[in-house]
Amino acid sequence: MATSDRAAASGDAVRAGNTDVDDSQGENGDQRLSTIFEVAKTLAKQQDLETLLSELLSVVIDGLQAADAGVLLLCDPADQRLAIRAAMGYDLASLSRIRLVPGEAVCGKSFQTGQIGLYRTPEAIAAAREDLSPDNSALFRAAMRGLSDAQSAICLPLSCGETAVGTLMFENRRRCDSFGPAALPFLQALADLIALFVDNARLREELQATRALEEGNRLKAELVSILAHEMRTPLTSIKGYSTALLMDDVSFSPETQREFLQIVDEECDTLQELIHDLLESSIIDAGLMRLEPQPVRLPLLAQRVTDDIALRTQKHHFLTDFVEPFPIVDADPNRIEQVLRNLLDNALKYSPEGGLVVVRGEPQEGEVIISVADQGVGIAPEHLNRLFEKFFRVASPLGRHVVGSGLGLPIARTIVEAHGGRIWAESHLEQGSTFYFTLPLGGLSDGYPGQRGGSD
Ligand code: ADP
């Protein structure tokens, strides 16, 4: 609402600088300067708006001898109601549910008129609150339960240029007439500073939301184009081999037929993996990944996954090496299996000449470290930090295209971090790579096999 559109001052309302009111009971120049300094320091902090407003309110109340409680309300642009965004000296659970229409009660009035509301007595405050809606009135009574009533109050409009953004109200619960005219210009300057900041913070939030939306749209477009591109390779292969097998005028030996079908089968697996990564990534993006932790025997789990992956290759040898006895960890076995499968899949994919793949596990102080090492193409140092970014793929390190989504490692990282662990890689070009991840020990995890059960 534009300040200039607001109604004229009510009986209790005064403009900043008006000296018709009793003198201030406290703050001197030095104190005000120091309060402004503290406010400026708080405003300069990089934190979210909610934390910042609470801190601001407490800084101002600490600096104002005349105030012992206060609330800061901001107008919600969605419904034009005033909502409490910070409060000191109230029961916040009830207070934070109050939503005022412009003109309602002490804060609504200053918001609507754009003028300072000065309330010298409890009666003046009570009169201004008479028009509180029944719901707001009940919430307000609950917020004040066990607290003394305000004896005097001051309510300052928070406006930025023509735009009203909210109100700031201070109360004194010990004496009447505690806010005097000498303090008004200072208080209004403080309110203007806060309003300016709130307006800027909101603009920043809007900008961030727009950027996040744009980034989300960009990522989606990128995802579609990457997947379309990546799916083309296995699909072309599936189409080619199945068309060949279906040709009436060509006959293939049973061995060749089997070889073709094997390729079709493998390419279907590749497609399935791409679709799986895509689904997992969207589940994670939607914040829907849930962990179901239970005691897990990692050596058994790792052995089972490695044996399974080993069936897919004849070029690679596998070794699992877990320190005995190995502590039981609290983890979601399905999710940890997913991480191991991804690391082992990559170990195979990026070591096309074959070689040894080692899955190792050892307990360390407060955690276990699992690693998967291969003797493959390796990763250049400048790429190591980017491996866990969505869609990051090292461009054709093998001279031929390896199908992938660039989503496997980011998914693995999300899973490991959700368990409280870390994941990283070490590598030397053309010598191989080792991927490590940790899982914390603690709580139930202090046990060793034999002390209690555990699934693989
Ligand atoms: P994808 O394998 O589907 O591309 P990932 O997120 O699993 O996606 O891996 C991202 C990139 O990291 C891969 O494209 C590859 O360049 C590199 N990378 C992952 N694992 C290895 C490995 N064991 N050896 C060499 N490069 C790897």
Side-chain angles (χ1 to χ4, degrees), residues 346 349-350 374 379 387 392-394 404-406 408-410 433 435:
N346 282 350
K349 255 186 358 191
Y350 300 105
D374 63 56
I379 303 155
L387 294 180
F392 179 80
R393 307 198 68 214
V394 179
S405 60
L409 290 177
S433 315
F435 283 78

Side-chain angles (χ1 to χ4, degrees), residues 184-250:
L184 293 184
F186 159 72
L187 284 174
Q188 190 58 64
L190 212 57
D192 289 346
L193 192 65
I194 293 172
L196 191 68
F197 181 84
V198 167
D199 203 42
N200 275 340
R202 278 194 168 168
L203 284 177
R204 267 202 312 276
E205 270 176 10
E206 274 169 31
L207 197 67
Q208 269 169 5
T210 314
R211 286 208 182 118
L213 200 68
E214 282 170 4
E215 176 65 3
N217 287 339
R218 193 187 63 75
L219 283 178
K220 267 187 213 143
E222 202 172 318
L223 178 89
V224 170
S225 89
I226 287 173
L227 284 174
H229 181 74
E230 292 301 309
M231 281 176 175
R232 201 175 293 150
T233 314
L235 271 176
T236 308
S237 181
I238 291 169
K239 175 77 182 150
Y241 285 102
S242 44
T243 305
L245 284 169
L246 285 169
M247 282 197 296
D248 292 330
D249 49 347
V250 191

